[in-house]
């Protein structure tokens, strides 16, 4: 547990990260993600609880002796140092000799796609290039655990997507264990092997990327992860789409994945198209059924006002609880 005055920033939290995996921690602002990362790094003391690494209790070990690497959202680069000087900083602090440090700097700059950038100054780099320098500096000392706190949140979407793919390749190449904090669900699912969802200082769900999407557990988690269609069990929409009139599974709500819905124009259907939008090359239709609006993807736009039937395979329906 970690308390700041009367506020419990972390409360009864239990998180396990598999060696060699990329684990993402996601949650809304203020839920405790960054505090958790600072605890693991040794920058924040706990009121109760312990941090274990590879079977050893490292709770009282100073940050610089844990062998972990932490990359902050603002990169925290030294503007008066060159790219190489920034990357070499941790190596110098560890007492690595000049020749070995220079060789390692060259290795990691090549790894992050900045070969030949060593003599450049930080001020002349783009945001994406600065992000790569910060990542190279984090990786240079060969940390046992790499921690990243919202590392690409300030970059535009296209650059973020490219850097996510590059980071995944780098982590796979190094076979390093990674703890990645973000508020962006798509970012987490694109990069991670496992995802933990935080809410009010607690882990409320944790699973593999595929497992968490298929089994979010609660209505809150499903909506936070991006399930657009959550309908109450027994509602008109649930009956019309999934054929669920009662509550045989104990669920209180159902998540109906957008990509799993099948939409067919039909004169006597219960649904009616409200609007069609084009998002990143995909036609998405909003359909009103029994006072509930659900979203589906279709191959071609459907005009507003068109009556449609909406179906879904039974095994695609996800049961939820409040």
């Amino acid at each position: 547990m970690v308390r700041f005055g009367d506020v419990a920033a972390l409360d009864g939290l239990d998180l396990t990260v598999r060696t060699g995996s990329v684990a993402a921690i996601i949650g809304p602002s203020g839920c405790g993600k960054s505090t958790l990362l600072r605890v693991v790094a040794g920058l924040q003391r706990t009121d109760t609880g312990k941090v274990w690494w590879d079977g050893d209790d490292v709770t009282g070990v100073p940050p610089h002796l844990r062998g972990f690497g932490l990359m902050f959202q603002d990169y925290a680069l030294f503007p008066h140092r060159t790219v190489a000087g920034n990357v070499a900083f941790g190596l110098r602090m560890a007492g690595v000799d000049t020749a070995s440090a220079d060789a390692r700097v060259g290795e990691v700059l090549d790894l992050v796609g900045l070969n030949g950038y060593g003599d450049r100054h930080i001020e002349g780099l783009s945001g994406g290039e600065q992000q790569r320098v910060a990542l190279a500096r984090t990786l240079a000392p060969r940390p046992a655990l790499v921690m990243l706190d919202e590392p690409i949140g300030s970059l535009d979407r296209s650059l973020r997507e490219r850097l996510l793919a590059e980071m995944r390749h780098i982590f796979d190449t190094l076979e390093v264990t990674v703890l990645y904090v973000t508020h962006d669900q798509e970012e987490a699912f694109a990069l991670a092997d496992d995802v933990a969802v935080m809410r009010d200082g607690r882990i409320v769900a944790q699973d593999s990327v595929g497992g968490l999407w298929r089994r979010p557990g609660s209505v809150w988690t499903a909506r936070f992860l991006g399930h657009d269609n959550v309908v109450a069990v027994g509602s008109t929409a649930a009956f019309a789409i999934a054929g669920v009139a009662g509550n045989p599974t104990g669920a209180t709500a159902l998540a109906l994945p957008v990509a799993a819905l099948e939409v067919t124009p039909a004169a006597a259907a219960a649904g009616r198209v409200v609007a069609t939008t084009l998002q990143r090359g995909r036609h998405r239709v909003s359909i009103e059924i029994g006072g509930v609006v659900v979203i589906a993807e279709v191959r071609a736009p459907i005009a507003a006002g068109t009556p449609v039937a909406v179906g879904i395979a039974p095994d695609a329906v996800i049961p939820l609880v409040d």
Side-chain angles (χ1 to χ4, degrees), residues 151-194:
I152 58 176
S154 61
L155 304 178
D156 63 74
R157 175 183 287 273
S158 61
L159 182 55
R160 287 204 311 269
E161 291 178 350
R162 187 165 71 250
L163 289 174
L164 281 172
E166 293 177 0
M167 282 194 293
R168 182 70 224 207
H169 173 70
I170 290 169
F171 298 151
D172 286 343
T173 299
L174 297 177
E175 297 182 341
V176 66
T177 305
V178 179
L179 193 56
Y180 189 97
V181 162
T182 179
H183 67 277
D184 189 300
Q185 300 90 326
E186 290 187 7
E187 191 176 308
F189 276 76
L191 182 69
D193 299 300
D194 304 314

Side-chain angles (χ1 to χ4, degrees), residues 31-233:
C31 71
K33 303 186 300 295
S34 294
T35 300
L36 173 58
L37 213 62
R38 291 176 60 83
V39 166
V40 176
L43 302 175
Q44 172 65 52
R45 296 182 62 182
T46 60
D47 295 293
T48 59
K50 294 183 180 296
V51 178
W52 295 83
W53 176 255
D54 198 23
D56 297 323
D57 180 1
V58 298
T59 310
V61 177
H64 66 284
L65 297 179
R66 294 194 181 191
F68 301 162
L70 175 60
M71 176 178 162
F72 295 101
Q73 182 178 10
D74 61 2
Y75 309 148
L77 298 173
F78 303 115
H80 61 285
R81 294 177 182 266
T82 63
V83 168
N86 270 274
V87 176
F89 179 77
L91 299 170
R92 304 292 191 202
M93 293 295 292
V96 178
D97 64 85
T98 300
S100 298
D102 289 346
R104 180 58 178 167
V105 168
E107 289 176 6
V108 291
L109 285 180
D110 184 58
L111 185 64
V112 301
L114 292 180
N115 185 29
Y117 277 65
D119 293 334
R120 296 197 185 187
H121 291 281
I122 298 301
E123 293 91 338
L125 301 180
S126 68
E129 289 168 343
Q130 290 187 27
Q131 189 266 356
R132 295 166 197 258
V133 174
L135 180 59
R137 184 177 65 181
T138 303
L139 296 173
R142 294 183 174 89
L145 173 67
V146 174
M147 294 174 287
L148 302 100
D149 189 4
E150 303 275 7
I152 58 176
S154 61
L155 304 178
D156 63 74
R157 175 183 287 273
S158 61
L159 182 55
R160 287 204 311 269
E161 291 178 350
R162 187 165 71 250
L163 289 174
L164 281 172
E166 293 177 0
M167 282 194 293
R168 182 70 224 207
H169 173 70
I170 290 169
F171 298 151
D172 286 343
T173 299
L174 297 177
E175 297 182 341
V176 66
T177 305
V178 179
L179 193 56
Y180 189 97
V181 162
T182 179
H183 67 277
D184 189 300
Q185 300 90 326
E186 290 187 7
E187 191 176 308
F189 276 76
L191 182 69
D193 299 300
D194 304 314
V195 178
V197 182
M198 285 191 67
R199 183 185 186 188
D200 298 331
R202 295 175 177 268
I203 300 291
V204 295
Q206 182 178 3
D207 205 335
S208 66
V209 167
L212 186 61
W213 181 255
R214 293 188 298 269
R215 298 179 296 274
S218 72
V219 169
W220 184 91
T221 301
R223 286 179 170 153
F224 181 78
L225 292 177
H227 279 284
D228 291 311
N229 304 320
V230 176
V231 299
V233 168

